[in-house]
Amino acid sequence: MMKKAVMQFTACCLAVGITFSSFGTVAFADNNRSMTLAGLSETSTVVSSSSTTLVGLSETDTVVSTGGAQGATTTVETADETSDSAAEISETDTDAADTTVDETADTEVGTDTAEAASVETEAQTETEAVYDTSLSGELAFAQCENYINVRAEASADGEVVGKVYNNGSVTILGQLGDWYEVQSGNVTGYVNAAYFAIGEEADEIAEAVAYNVATVNAEGLWVHSEASEDSSTIGMVYSSDQLEVVSYEGDWMKVVLEDGTYGYINAWYVSYDTYYSTAETLEEEQERLDAQWLAYLAEQEAEAAAAEAEAAAAAEAAAAEAAAAETAAAETYTETYTDSSSTSSSSSASLSEAQAAVDEAYQTYLEAQEAADAATQQADEQLVYDTYDEAVAAYQDYLSAVAVADELKYSAATDTSTSTTTDTSSSETTYTEAAASTETTYTEAAQTEAAQTDTAQTTSTEAAATTTTTSSSSSSSTGQAIANYAVQFVGNPYVYGGTSLTNGADCSGFTQSVFANFGISIPRTAAAQASSGTSVSLSDIQAGDLLFYSDGSGISHVALYIGNGQVVHASTSSTGIIISSYNYRTPVCARRYWS
């Protein structure tokens, strides 16, 4: 409507000759006449040189005529000012609007930023673990195969400060994510919560692994056999004594005494404490391991000392047994010789009969000795002892036969049988010479069976007696050194397949180890040793030579000759390493390795 009214007003102005410039000036066609403009009020007249109120203008909108017929202009100052004010207002409104928009935009952006920051804070809060103390003071138990590490931080990369072993206890201080902060023994740190039992499960474990201790408060307290004052007493415990509690039964506790005896004490007179296994620091662990290692070493030393003492006692017992056996044999020989001499002096037995008895007894002894040697190759220990006893008995019979024959020979030669019977020293010397001559006779017979005659036997007997004396006086220093070294192991055990001079060796293992001490290498078996080295005639043997014996099918035994008609050898498992007469069995050959 406003626009339409303005257009009507403009048309009226044009009809009466009023025009408007771009500067807001009103020109009149005739300045000398007054007029009333259509659409204006009666009081709104336009006159030259006077103010005119125009329709549509406010009472303060004055039109001023500047005069002049042509191009007269009237400046609407108030309108211009109003227009300027309106423009300023418009600019102000625009600025205000812009400011409002900017502020609104800023407010919206700020709100978005605040919301984003809030979301980020919430996300950060969700990722950061919160320290929870709801389980503080609760007892937990490790459940693992061996142990769980306690770390300085709640991380698998944290430094290890201690260890909790399976069923070990910890007190929870708090929880940080998947980790418990715990205290146990002298250790404080973090453990993985997945490996610890809490709640009812922990209660069950606690009951199973608890170590309960009763500390006696009374000056003296009876220990009863039953949970009753009327039961018998089995001991007494005293103030501050600590006892392991097996069970708690009403007013009575079942306890274990120092000697392992179970008994009952009145619970009213003791204090009761429960202990659980706790963690240990790395230093405590090292101290414990060191103590265990030292205890192990001490135990090993004690076992070694006990074994050594046992071996020494066994060797001593074996030596004593051997000495007793020799003494008994000597006594038996003396008695037998005396009895035989007395009998022979009063009997008419001929020398040939006595010699036949010697041969038969010796053959019996050889068979018994072979049986004893064969028994050592079997696992039947009783058989070894039985065959050994039979061999000893056969040897004693042989000695008795030799003594009888010896006495007859001596009586025939000197016709003084009585003095021979009473002179023990002379009898023993005669026995040695006779035994040597007899054994040599069998040796030479075995080597030269085709040429065996009575004359050869007599010659061999004389040669053997001479050899015994010669070999003892002409032994080389090297051979004698070997012999002297070997005899120090007498009394040590015989072990089949062994080569130890102290812990046990068989016959060839013994000789091999003796020679090895002098840097001399010889074969391992008796048969191989008999086929190596330098062959030596049995009539020329010296200390340090090896003598070999046969079981009829091959070489079965080896001994080391030490002079004076004796050998040292690893005999049997029942006798060990002993010294024997060189011809206790018939040697079939000799070998020398030291020259």
Side-chain angles (χ1 to χ4, degrees):
M1 287 296 290
M2 187 63 162
K3 183 176 181 181
K4 185 176 179 181
V6 171
M7 290 178 68
Q8 290 175 350
F9 172 74
T10 302
C12 291
C13 291
L14 291 176
V16 293
I18 300 174
T19 61
F20 295 90
S21 70
S22 60
F23 299 100
T25 302
V26 179
F28 294 93
D30 187 357
N31 292 330
N32 295 318
R33 54 181 184 165
S34 61
M35 63 195 73
T36 300
L37 299 178
L40 298 178
S41 64
E42 293 179 354
T43 58
S44 299
T45 59
V46 178
V47 292
S48 70
S49 70
S50 63
S51 62
T52 301
T53 302
L54 302 180
V55 176
L57 300 179
S58 67
E59 293 180 353
T60 59
D61 292 339
T62 304
V63 178
V64 179
S65 174
T66 59
Q70 297 179 353
T73 60
T74 300
T75 304
V76 186
E77 296 176 350
T78 304
D80 289 343
E81 291 174 359
T82 303
S83 176
D84 293 339
S85 299
E88 290 176 0
I89 292 171
S90 176
E91 291 176 357
T92 302
D93 292 342
T94 302
D95 293 339
D98 292 341
T99 302
T100 302
V101 171
D102 292 341
E103 289 177 354
T104 302
D106 292 341
T107 302
E108 292 176 354
V109 172
T111 303
D112 293 340
T113 303
E115 290 177 355
S118 176
V119 171
E120 183 178 354
T121 301
E122 291 176 358
Q124 185 176 2
T125 302
E126 290 178 357
T127 57
E128 291 182 357
V130 177
Y131 190 83
D132 182 6
T133 59
S134 62
L135 295 177
S136 179
E138 185 163 342
L139 199 63
F141 289 88
Q143 296 296 281
C144 57
E145 290 185 4
N146 192 1
Y147 64 85
I148 298 172
N149 288 322
V150 182
R151 299 183 181 274
E153 300 175 357
S155 168
D157 298 327
E159 178 188 359
V160 176
V161 296
K163 295 179 179 179
V164 185
Y165 289 84
N166 187 42
N167 288 331
S169 67
V170 299
T171 300
I172 298 176
L173 304 179
Q175 184 171 2
L176 188 61
D178 296 332
W179 296 80
Y180 290 145
E181 184 181 15
V182 300
Q183 191 279 326
S184 180
N186 295 320
V187 180
T188 300
Y190 292 87
V191 296
N192 194 317
Y195 297 100
F196 282 82
I198 60 175
E200 294 182 358
E201 184 180 358
D203 293 340
E204 293 178 0
I205 296 173
E207 186 175 353
V209 303
Y211 183 78
N212 302 312
V213 176
T215 303
V216 179
N217 296 327
E219 292 185 3
L221 183 63
W222 287 110
V223 181
H224 291 262
S225 60
E226 301 292 339
S228 170
E229 292 287 354
D230 297 331
S231 64
S232 61
T233 58
I234 60 175
M236 176 173 281
V237 291
Y238 301 93
S239 177
S240 300
D241 284 352
Q242 291 188 323
L243 307 171
E244 179 184 355
V245 179
V246 178
S247 62
Y248 202 155
E249 303 174 8
D251 293 338
W252 295 87
M253 291 182 182
K254 186 176 182 180
V255 297
V256 183
L257 302 181
E258 289 184 354
D259 60 357
T261 304
Y262 289 91
Y264 292 84
I265 58 174
N266 195 314
W268 289 97
Y269 300 100
V270 300
S271 57
Y272 182 85
D273 298 292
T274 299
Y275 298 94
Y276 303 100
S277 174
T278 58
E280 60 183 3
T281 64
L282 299 184
E283 293 77 10
E284 291 171 339
E285 178 191 41
Q286 190 60 50
E287 290 177 0
R288 175 175 58 80
L289 295 177
D290 290 344
Q292 290 177 351
W293 175 248
L294 293 176
Y296 170 76
L297 293 179
E299 182 180 356
Q300 294 298 307
E301 291 178 359
E303 291 180 358
E308 184 177 353
E310 183 178 356
E316 183 178 354
E321 183 179 353
E326 291 181 1
T327 301
E331 292 175 353
T332 301
Y333 161 73
T334 302
E335 294 174 359
T336 303
Y337 178 76
T338 303
D339 294 341
S340 300
S341 298
S342 301
T343 302
S344 62
S345 61
S346 60
S347 66
S348 58
S350 63
L351 183 58
S352 59
E353 292 175 346
Q355 187 61 51
V358 169
D359 295 342
E360 183 179 357
Y362 184 68
Q363 187 61 38
T364 302
Y365 161 68
L366 289 179
E367 293 173 355
Q369 184 62 49
E370 289 177 0
D373 291 342
T376 60
Q377 309 301 318
Q378 302 181 29
D380 190 345
E381 184 176 356
Q382 187 59 46
L383 179 62
V384 172
Y385 286 112
D386 293 342
T387 54
Y388 172 72
D389 292 340
E390 293 175 1
V392 170
Y395 187 66
Q396 295 303 325
D397 292 341
Y398 161 70
L399 292 179
S400 298
V402 169
V404 172
D406 204 18
E407 193 275 333
L408 290 175
K409 290 179 182 178
Y410 187 76
S411 297
T414 62
D415 198 22
T416 56
S417 59
T418 304
S419 62
T420 301
T421 303
T422 57
D423 189 348
T424 305
S425 176
S426 177
S427 299
E428 292 177 351
T429 302
T430 303
Y431 148 70
T432 301
E433 294 176 351
S437 64
T438 303
E439 295 300 329
T440 305
T441 299
Y442 281 104
T443 300
E444 296 298 331
Q447 292 179 334
T448 57
E449 186 175 348
Q452 186 177 11
T453 61
D454 292 341
T455 303
Q457 290 179 3
T458 303
T459 303
S460 298
T461 300
E462 295 174 354
T466 304
T467 298
T468 302
T469 304
T470 303
S471 63
S472 62
S473 61
S474 61
S475 298
S476 73
S477 59
T478 301
Q480 191 62 57
I482 293 173
N484 294 341
Y485 176 75
V487 297
Q488 67 178 308
F489 302 106
V490 171
N492 289 341
Y494 173 98
V495 175
Y496 178 71
T499 58
S500 173
L501 298 175
T502 55
N503 295 328
D506 56 19
C507 62
S508 56
F510 171 72
T511 54
Q512 183 186 50
S513 296
V514 168
F515 276 91
N517 183 70
F518 293 87
I520 301 174
S521 177
I522 66 174
R524 175 64 182 85
T525 64
Q529 291 175 10
S531 60
S532 301
T534 302
S535 178
V536 179
S537 173
L538 290 171
S539 61
D540 296 329
I541 56 176
Q542 298 183 35
D545 290 341
L546 297 182
L547 300 185
F548 298 91
Y549 303 85
S550 173
D551 59 1
S553 60
I555 300 299
S556 61
H557 192 67
V558 59
L560 176 67
Y561 187 66
I562 59 175
N564 296 322
Q566 294 180 311
V567 293
V568 60
H569 59 127
S571 177
T572 65
S573 59
S574 59
T575 60
I577 299 174
I578 61 174
I579 294 177
S580 303
S581 173
Y582 87 100
N583 55 6
Y584 80 99
R585 291 171 58 188
T586 304
V588 297
C589 63
R591 289 291 188 273
R592 181 173 298 163
Y593 284 91
W594 47 265
S595 62

